[in-house]
Amino acid sequence: GKYLHTATVKVINTTTFPNNRLQLWVAGGHREKLEEISPFRLVNDFIMLSWRNPVCRLGSIKVILSCQYQSLCAVLNIFIILWVVRTINDPDLSEVEKSDNLKFYGILWALPFLGIHLLNYKANYWKVAGSIKKQYQVLLLKKFLNYAATSRSQIQTEQLLMGMVRDVSSSVVDGYVAALNLVFGTIFKIGYLVTATIYIGMTAPTGLKMVPIIAVLTLPLFIGVFLWA
């Protein structure tokens, strides 16, 4: 007919992303108030919201455990190199004993890589990125459908589509996954390496030396300065 040719879908959604505690700053959409929100609080609320998703929470736990396994494998490789050097330079061992020990160290070096390969393969099915990508795409669409007609008219369809397809993936999802690997992968690995360095230094005949420890601790600093510059 003359009037029944257009329908408007409206979803009532009065919540604030990512937490209703930010209602005071988000209400009205004023940029000045939005810039007053603490980044740490915003990231913390974002993580808490992501972990409400059971698929994301379970997958994140698996990613954390996988990072710990890979870090421990890196520490194990350091000890294997140490044992190889000590075995070769041990005058009390015969050539046969050295050969047997080196074969054992070779097997011990290779076996953890099977676990790393399996974890990297399984990580494709933990659905960490996919689950939160779907979650935030739905939240973004709900928020758009809550707008009045005048507000919707100010947003182009291309902007909404690019926000759901591109921005959610690159800014939110990839950032969350990268943060997991950074915190529970790189930072924890540095801690393991420092601990292993201290132990090796304490058990070495020459005693503990601070140069290797300082080198391990300052390397991330130099990398950070290089990336920041």
PDB file of all heavy atoms in Angstrom, residues 90-117:
ATOM      1  N   ASP A  90      83.330 -33.670  30.106  1.00  0.00           N
ATOM      2  CA  ASP A  90      83.518 -34.467  31.321  1.00  0.00           C
ATOM      3  C   ASP A  90      84.597 -35.534  31.062  1.00  0.00           C
ATOM      4  O   ASP A  90      84.390 -36.461  30.264  1.00  0.00           O
ATOM      5  CB  ASP A  90      82.203 -35.132  31.715  1.00  0.00           C
ATOM      6  CG  ASP A  90      82.285 -35.758  33.107  1.00  0.00           C
ATOM      7  OD1 ASP A  90      83.408 -35.862  33.664  1.00  0.00           O
ATOM      8  OD2 ASP A  90      81.234 -36.142  33.646  1.00  0.00           O
ATOM      9  N   PRO A  91      85.731 -35.452  31.729  1.00  0.00           N
ATOM     10  CA  PRO A  91      86.803 -36.433  31.471  1.00  0.00           C
ATOM     11  C   PRO A  91      86.527 -37.794  32.103  1.00  0.00           C
ATOM     12  O   PRO A  91      87.181 -38.782  31.746  1.00  0.00           O
ATOM     13  CB  PRO A  91      88.029 -35.770  32.106  1.00  0.00           C
ATOM     14  CG  PRO A  91      87.472 -34.905  33.182  1.00  0.00           C
ATOM     15  CD  PRO A  91      86.149 -34.425  32.699  1.00  0.00           C
ATOM     16  N   ASP A  92      85.591 -37.885  33.018  1.00  0.00           N
ATOM     17  CA  ASP A  92      85.297 -39.145  33.700  1.00  0.00           C
ATOM     18  C   ASP A  92      84.387 -40.067  32.891  1.00  0.00           C
ATOM     19  O   ASP A  92      84.182 -41.223  33.272  1.00  0.00           O
ATOM     20  CB  ASP A  92      84.645 -38.868  35.058  1.00  0.00           C
ATOM     21  CG  ASP A  92      85.573 -38.090  35.983  1.00  0.00           C
ATOM     22  OD1 ASP A  92      86.797 -38.248  35.849  1.00  0.00           O
ATOM     23  OD2 ASP A  92      85.061 -37.318  36.829  1.00  0.00           O
ATOM     24  N   LEU A  93      83.808 -39.557  31.805  1.00  0.00           N
ATOM     25  CA  LEU A  93      82.913 -40.369  30.989  1.00  0.00           C
ATOM     26  C   LEU A  93      83.656 -40.954  29.801  1.00  0.00           C
ATOM     27  O   LEU A  93      84.484 -40.281  29.184  1.00  0.00           O
ATOM     28  CB  LEU A  93      81.737 -39.528  30.492  1.00  0.00           C
ATOM     29  CG  LEU A  93      80.767 -38.979  31.546  1.00  0.00           C
ATOM     30  CD1 LEU A  93      79.700 -38.118  30.884  1.00  0.00           C
ATOM     31  CD2 LEU A  93      80.110 -40.114  32.340  1.00  0.00           C
ATOM     32  N   SER A  94      83.326 -42.195  29.490  1.00  0.00           N
ATOM     33  CA  SER A  94      83.919 -42.833  28.316  1.00  0.00           C
ATOM     34  C   SER A  94      83.212 -42.355  27.055  1.00  0.00           C
ATOM     35  O   SER A  94      82.165 -41.713  27.109  1.00  0.00           O
ATOM     36  CB  SER A  94      83.805 -44.355  28.425  1.00  0.00           C
ATOM     37  OG  SER A  94      82.438 -44.743  28.435  1.00  0.00           O
ATOM     38  N   GLU A  95      83.791 -42.694  25.902  1.00  0.00           N
ATOM     39  CA  GLU A  95      83.195 -42.278  24.639  1.00  0.00           C
ATOM     40  C   GLU A  95      81.824 -42.900  24.434  1.00  0.00           C
ATOM     41  O   GLU A  95      80.916 -42.285  23.872  1.00  0.00           O
ATOM     42  CB  GLU A  95      84.122 -42.638  23.479  1.00  0.00           C
ATOM     43  CG  GLU A  95      85.442 -41.866  23.481  1.00  0.00           C
ATOM     44  CD  GLU A  95      85.229 -40.378  23.333  1.00  0.00           C
ATOM     45  OE1 GLU A  95      84.259 -39.991  22.647  1.00  0.00           O
ATOM     46  OE2 GLU A  95      86.019 -39.612  23.903  1.00  0.00           O
ATOM     47  N   VAL A  96      81.669 -44.137  24.901  1.00  0.00           N
ATOM     48  CA  VAL A  96      80.364 -44.815  24.767  1.00  0.00           C
ATOM     49  C   VAL A  96      79.307 -44.118  25.622  1.00  0.00           C
ATOM     50  O   VAL A  96      78.163 -43.890  25.192  1.00  0.00           O
ATOM     51  CB  VAL A  96      80.494 -46.298  25.156  1.00  0.00           C
ATOM     52  CG1 VAL A  96      79.121 -46.979  25.092  1.00  0.00           C
ATOM     53  CG2 VAL A  96      81.487 -47.007  24.229  1.00  0.00           C
ATOM     54  N   GLU A  97      79.690 -43.777  26.852  1.00  0.00           N
ATOM     55  CA  GLU A  97      78.754 -43.088  27.742  1.00  0.00           C
ATOM     56  C   GLU A  97      78.391 -41.704  27.203  1.00  0.00           C
ATOM     57  O   GLU A  97      77.224 -41.285  27.268  1.00  0.00           O
ATOM     58  CB  GLU A  97      79.363 -42.964  29.135  1.00  0.00           C
ATOM     59  CG  GLU A  97      79.504 -44.297  29.865  1.00  0.00           C
ATOM     60  CD  GLU A  97      80.222 -44.157  31.200  1.00  0.00           C
ATOM     61  OE1 GLU A  97      81.037 -43.209  31.334  1.00  0.00           O
ATOM     62  OE2 GLU A  97      79.959 -44.982  32.096  1.00  0.00           O
ATOM     63  N   LYS A  98      79.379 -41.020  26.653  1.00  0.00           N
ATOM     64  CA  LYS A  98      79.084 -39.720  26.054  1.00  0.00           C
ATOM     65  C   LYS A  98      78.134 -39.861  24.872  1.00  0.00           C
ATOM     66  O   LYS A  98      77.196 -39.062  24.705  1.00  0.00           O
ATOM     67  CB  LYS A  98      80.381 -39.046  25.603  1.00  0.00           C
ATOM     68  CG  LYS A  98      81.271 -38.576  26.743  1.00  0.00           C
ATOM     69  CD  LYS A  98      82.519 -37.875  26.199  1.00  0.00           C
ATOM     70  CE  LYS A  98      83.404 -37.388  27.341  1.00  0.00           C
ATOM     71  NZ  LYS A  98      84.613 -36.679  26.845  1.00  0.00           N
ATOM     72  N   SER A  99      78.366 -40.882  24.058  1.00  0.00           N
ATOM     73  CA  SER A  99      77.505 -41.096  22.898  1.00  0.00           C
ATOM     74  C   SER A  99      76.073 -41.404  23.326  1.00  0.00           C
ATOM     75  O   SER A  99      75.109 -40.875  22.761  1.00  0.00           O
ATOM     76  CB  SER A  99      78.052 -42.231  22.035  1.00  0.00           C
ATOM     77  OG  SER A  99      77.199 -42.501  20.949  1.00  0.00           O
ATOM     78  N   ASP A 100      75.924 -42.257  24.351  1.00  0.00           N
ATOM     79  CA  ASP A 100      74.579 -42.592  24.839  1.00  0.00           C
ATOM     80  C   ASP A 100      73.874 -41.361  25.424  1.00  0.00           C
ATOM     81  O   ASP A 100      72.672 -41.156  25.193  1.00  0.00           O
ATOM     82  CB  ASP A 100      74.671 -43.699  25.892  1.00  0.00           C
ATOM     83  CG  ASP A 100      75.148 -45.017  25.305  1.00  0.00           C
ATOM     84  OD1 ASP A 100      75.022 -45.188  24.069  1.00  0.00           O
ATOM     85  OD2 ASP A 100      75.667 -45.860  26.065  1.00  0.00           O
ATOM     86  N   ASN A 101      74.621 -40.574  26.182  1.00  0.00           N
ATOM     87  CA  ASN A 101      74.026 -39.377  26.768  1.00  0.00           C
ATOM     88  C   ASN A 101      73.599 -38.369  25.702  1.00  0.00           C
ATOM     89  O   ASN A 101      72.522 -37.763  25.786  1.00  0.00           O
ATOM     90  CB  ASN A 101      75.003 -38.713  27.739  1.00  0.00           C
ATOM     91  CG  ASN A 101      75.220 -39.535  28.997  1.00  0.00           C
ATOM     92  OD1 ASN A 101      74.425 -40.416  29.329  1.00  0.00           O
ATOM     93  ND2 ASN A 101      76.325 -39.279  29.700  1.00  0.00           N
ATOM     94  N   LEU A 102      74.439 -38.217  24.688  1.00  0.00           N
ATOM     95  CA  LEU A 102      74.103 -37.268  23.618  1.00  0.00           C
ATOM     96  C   LEU A 102      72.888 -37.733  22.823  1.00  0.00           C
ATOM     97  O   LEU A 102      72.065 -36.903  22.392  1.00  0.00           O
ATOM     98  CB  LEU A 102      75.310 -37.081  22.694  1.00  0.00           C
ATOM     99  CG  LEU A 102      76.515 -36.379  23.318  1.00  0.00           C
ATOM    100  CD1 LEU A 102      77.667 -36.304  22.329  1.00  0.00           C
ATOM    101  CD2 LEU A 102      76.148 -34.979  23.798  1.00  0.00           C
ATOM    102  N   LYS A 103      72.753 -39.039  22.624  1.00  0.00           N
ATOM    103  CA  LYS A 103      71.560 -39.551  21.943  1.00  0.00           C
ATOM    104  C   LYS A 103      70.306 -39.275  22.771  1.00  0.00           C
ATOM    105  O   LYS A 103      69.259 -38.895  22.241  1.00  0.00           O
ATOM    106  CB  LYS A 103      71.705 -41.052  21.697  1.00  0.00           C
ATOM    107  CG  LYS A 103      72.758 -41.415  20.661  1.00  0.00           C
ATOM    108  CD  LYS A 103      72.880 -42.924  20.518  1.00  0.00           C
ATOM    109  CE  LYS A 103      73.959 -43.287  19.498  1.00  0.00           C
ATOM    110  NZ  LYS A 103      74.137 -44.757  19.367  1.00  0.00           N
ATOM    111  N   PHE A 104      70.426 -39.459  24.088  1.00  0.00           N
ATOM    112  CA  PHE A 104      69.293 -39.186  24.968  1.00  0.00           C
ATOM    113  C   PHE A 104      68.921 -37.705  24.938  1.00  0.00           C
ATOM    114  O   PHE A 104      67.730 -37.349  24.872  1.00  0.00           O
ATOM    115  CB  PHE A 104      69.630 -39.619  26.401  1.00  0.00           C
ATOM    116  CG  PHE A 104      68.603 -39.194  27.412  1.00  0.00           C
ATOM    117  CD1 PHE A 104      67.381 -39.845  27.498  1.00  0.00           C
ATOM    118  CD2 PHE A 104      68.862 -38.124  28.274  1.00  0.00           C
ATOM    119  CE1 PHE A 104      66.432 -39.438  28.426  1.00  0.00           C
ATOM    120  CE2 PHE A 104      67.926 -37.728  29.198  1.00  0.00           C
ATOM    121  CZ  PHE A 104      66.705 -38.386  29.276  1.00  0.00           C
ATOM    122  N   TYR A 105      69.920 -36.826  24.940  1.00  0.00           N
ATOM    123  CA  TYR A 105      69.650 -35.393  24.881  1.00  0.00           C
ATOM    124  C   TYR A 105      69.016 -35.009  23.556  1.00  0.00           C
ATOM    125  O   TYR A 105      68.158 -34.111  23.501  1.00  0.00           O
ATOM    126  CB  TYR A 105      70.943 -34.604  25.098  1.00  0.00           C
ATOM    127  CG  TYR A 105      71.552 -34.787  26.467  1.00  0.00           C
ATOM    128  CD1 TYR A 105      72.939 -34.739  26.656  1.00  0.00           C
ATOM    129  CD2 TYR A 105      70.747 -35.015  27.581  1.00  0.00           C
ATOM    130  CE1 TYR A 105      73.493 -34.906  27.920  1.00  0.00           C
ATOM    131  CE2 TYR A 105      71.293 -35.190  28.842  1.00  0.00           C
ATOM    132  CZ  TYR A 105      72.675 -35.138  28.998  1.00  0.00           C
ATOM    133  OH  TYR A 105      73.231 -35.309  30.238  1.00  0.00           O
ATOM    134  N   GLY A 106      69.434 -35.673  22.473  1.00  0.00           N
ATOM    135  CA  GLY A 106      68.824 -35.397  21.175  1.00  0.00           C
ATOM    136  C   GLY A 106      67.356 -35.754  21.145  1.00  0.00           C
ATOM    137  O   GLY A 106      66.525 -35.006  20.614  1.00  0.00           O
ATOM    138  N   ILE A 107      67.024 -36.913  21.737  1.00  0.00           N
ATOM    139  CA  ILE A 107      65.609 -37.312  21.812  1.00  0.00           C
ATOM    140  C   ILE A 107      64.836 -36.342  22.703  1.00  0.00           C
ATOM    141  O   ILE A 107      63.710 -35.936  22.386  1.00  0.00           O
ATOM    142  CB  ILE A 107      65.502 -38.750  22.339  1.00  0.00           C
ATOM    143  CG1 ILE A 107      66.150 -39.718  21.351  1.00  0.00           C
ATOM    144  CG2 ILE A 107      64.045 -39.128  22.579  1.00  0.00           C
ATOM    145  CD1 ILE A 107      66.214 -41.151  21.850  1.00  0.00           C
ATOM    146  N   LEU A 108      65.449 -35.962  23.825  1.00  0.00           N
ATOM    147  CA  LEU A 108      64.802 -35.027  24.750  1.00  0.00           C
ATOM    148  C   LEU A 108      64.604 -33.665  24.103  1.00  0.00           C
ATOM    149  O   LEU A 108      63.655 -32.948  24.427  1.00  0.00           O
ATOM    150  CB  LEU A 108      65.651 -34.896  26.023  1.00  0.00           C
ATOM    151  CG  LEU A 108      65.022 -34.162  27.210  1.00  0.00           C
ATOM    152  CD1 LEU A 108      63.760 -34.868  27.667  1.00  0.00           C
ATOM    153  CD2 LEU A 108      66.018 -34.059  28.356  1.00  0.00           C
ATOM    154  N   TRP A 109      65.480 -33.284  23.203  1.00  0.00           N
ATOM    155  CA  TRP A 109      65.337 -32.020  22.480  1.00  0.00           C
ATOM    156  C   TRP A 109      64.189 -32.072  21.473  1.00  0.00           C
ATOM    157  O   TRP A 109      63.451 -31.103  21.295  1.00  0.00           O
ATOM    158  CB  TRP A 109      66.656 -31.705  21.774  1.00  0.00           C
ATOM    159  CG  TRP A 109      66.643 -30.446  20.954  1.00  0.00           C
ATOM    160  CD1 TRP A 109      66.044 -30.266  19.736  1.00  0.00           C
ATOM    161  CD2 TRP A 109      67.247 -29.195  21.287  1.00  0.00           C
ATOM    162  NE1 TRP A 109      66.250 -28.993  19.280  1.00  0.00           N
ATOM    163  CE2 TRP A 109      66.976 -28.298  20.213  1.00  0.00           C
ATOM    164  CE3 TRP A 109      68.000 -28.741  22.370  1.00  0.00           C
ATOM    165  CZ2 TRP A 109      67.434 -26.994  20.207  1.00  0.00           C
ATOM    166  CZ3 TRP A 109      68.449 -27.432  22.353  1.00  0.00           C
ATOM    167  CH2 TRP A 109      68.171 -26.584  21.291  1.00  0.00           C
ATOM    168  N   ALA A 110      64.028 -33.222  20.814  1.00  0.00           N
ATOM    169  CA  ALA A 110      63.059 -33.320  19.715  1.00  0.00           C
ATOM    170  C   ALA A 110      61.636 -33.576  20.198  1.00  0.00           C
ATOM    171  O   ALA A 110      60.682 -33.089  19.575  1.00  0.00           O
ATOM    172  CB  ALA A 110      63.480 -34.438  18.752  1.00  0.00           C
ATOM    173  N   LEU A 111      61.466 -34.314  21.283  1.00  0.00           N
ATOM    174  CA  LEU A 111      60.120 -34.697  21.719  1.00  0.00           C
ATOM    175  C   LEU A 111      59.207 -33.511  22.016  1.00  0.00           C
ATOM    176  O   LEU A 111      58.032 -33.522  21.618  1.00  0.00           O
ATOM    177  CB  LEU A 111      60.217 -35.612  22.945  1.00  0.00           C
ATOM    178  CG  LEU A 111      60.615 -37.068  22.666  1.00  0.00           C
ATOM    179  CD1 LEU A 111      60.691 -37.854  23.969  1.00  0.00           C
ATOM    180  CD2 LEU A 111      59.629 -37.718  21.707  1.00  0.00           C
ATOM    181  N   PRO A 112      59.665 -32.483  22.729  1.00  0.00           N
ATOM    182  CA  PRO A 112      58.738 -31.359  23.006  1.00  0.00           C
ATOM    183  C   PRO A 112      58.202 -30.672  21.767  1.00  0.00           C
ATOM    184  O   PRO A 112      57.114 -30.085  21.815  1.00  0.00           O
ATOM    185  CB  PRO A 112      59.602 -30.398  23.846  1.00  0.00           C
ATOM    186  CG  PRO A 112      60.649 -31.255  24.467  1.00  0.00           C
ATOM    187  CD  PRO A 112      60.946 -32.301  23.442  1.00  0.00           C
ATOM    188  N   PHE A 113      58.934 -30.733  20.640  1.00  0.00           N
ATOM    189  CA  PHE A 113      58.451 -30.089  19.432  1.00  0.00           C
ATOM    190  C   PHE A 113      57.181 -30.756  18.908  1.00  0.00           C
ATOM    191  O   PHE A 113      56.371 -30.113  18.236  1.00  0.00           O
ATOM    192  CB  PHE A 113      59.536 -30.097  18.356  1.00  0.00           C
ATOM    193  CG  PHE A 113      60.639 -29.110  18.609  1.00  0.00           C
ATOM    194  CD1 PHE A 113      61.851 -29.532  19.114  1.00  0.00           C
ATOM    195  CD2 PHE A 113      60.448 -27.765  18.362  1.00  0.00           C
ATOM    196  CE1 PHE A 113      62.867 -28.622  19.361  1.00  0.00           C
ATOM    197  CE2 PHE A 113      61.462 -26.841  18.603  1.00  0.00           C
ATOM    198  CZ  PHE A 113      62.675 -27.272  19.112  1.00  0.00           C
ATOM    199  N   LEU A 114      57.005 -32.042  19.197  1.00  0.00           N
ATOM    200  CA  LEU A 114      55.760 -32.707  18.811  1.00  0.00           C
ATOM    201  C   LEU A 114      54.578 -32.104  19.556  1.00  0.00           C
ATOM    202  O   LEU A 114      53.509 -31.885  18.979  1.00  0.00           O
ATOM    203  CB  LEU A 114      55.870 -34.209  19.105  1.00  0.00           C
ATOM    204  CG  LEU A 114      56.951 -34.967  18.336  1.00  0.00           C
ATOM    205  CD1 LEU A 114      56.987 -36.438  18.779  1.00  0.00           C
ATOM    206  CD2 LEU A 114      56.716 -34.877  16.837  1.00  0.00           C
ATOM    207  N   GLY A 115      54.786 -31.820  20.848  1.00  0.00           N
ATOM    208  CA  GLY A 115      53.729 -31.179  21.624  1.00  0.00           C
ATOM    209  C   GLY A 115      53.443 -29.769  21.141  1.00  0.00           C
ATOM    210  O   GLY A 115      52.276 -29.343  21.079  1.00  0.00           O
ATOM    211  N   ILE A 116      54.496 -29.022  20.796  1.00  0.00           N
ATOM    212  CA  ILE A 116      54.300 -27.661  20.290  1.00  0.00           C
ATOM    213  C   ILE A 116      53.537 -27.682  18.976  1.00  0.00           C
ATOM    214  O   ILE A 116      52.617 -26.881  18.752  1.00  0.00           O
ATOM    215  CB  ILE A 116      55.664 -26.967  20.116  1.00  0.00           C
ATOM    216  CG1 ILE A 116      56.326 -26.742  21.482  1.00  0.00           C
ATOM    217  CG2 ILE A 116      55.501 -25.638  19.382  1.00  0.00           C
ATOM    218  CD1 ILE A 116      57.714 -26.155  21.392  1.00  0.00           C
ATOM    219  N   HIS A 117      53.894 -28.619  18.099  1.00  0.00           N
ATOM    220  CA  HIS A 117      53.191 -28.731  16.813  1.00  0.00           C
ATOM    221  C   HIS A 117      51.726 -29.089  17.031  1.00  0.00           C
ATOM    222  O   HIS A 117      50.829 -28.518  16.379  1.00  0.00           O
ATOM    223  CB  HIS A 117      53.872 -29.790  15.946  1.00  0.00           C
ATOM    224  CG  HIS A 117      53.153 -30.053  14.652  1.00  0.00           C
ATOM    225  ND1 HIS A 117      53.170 -29.169  13.594  1.00  0.00           N
ATOM    226  CD2 HIS A 117      52.366 -31.102  14.269  1.00  0.00           C
ATOM    227  CE1 HIS A 117      52.431 -29.662  12.609  1.00  0.00           C
ATOM    228  NE2 HIS A 117      51.941 -30.832  12.988  1.00  0.00           N
TER     229      HIS A 117
END
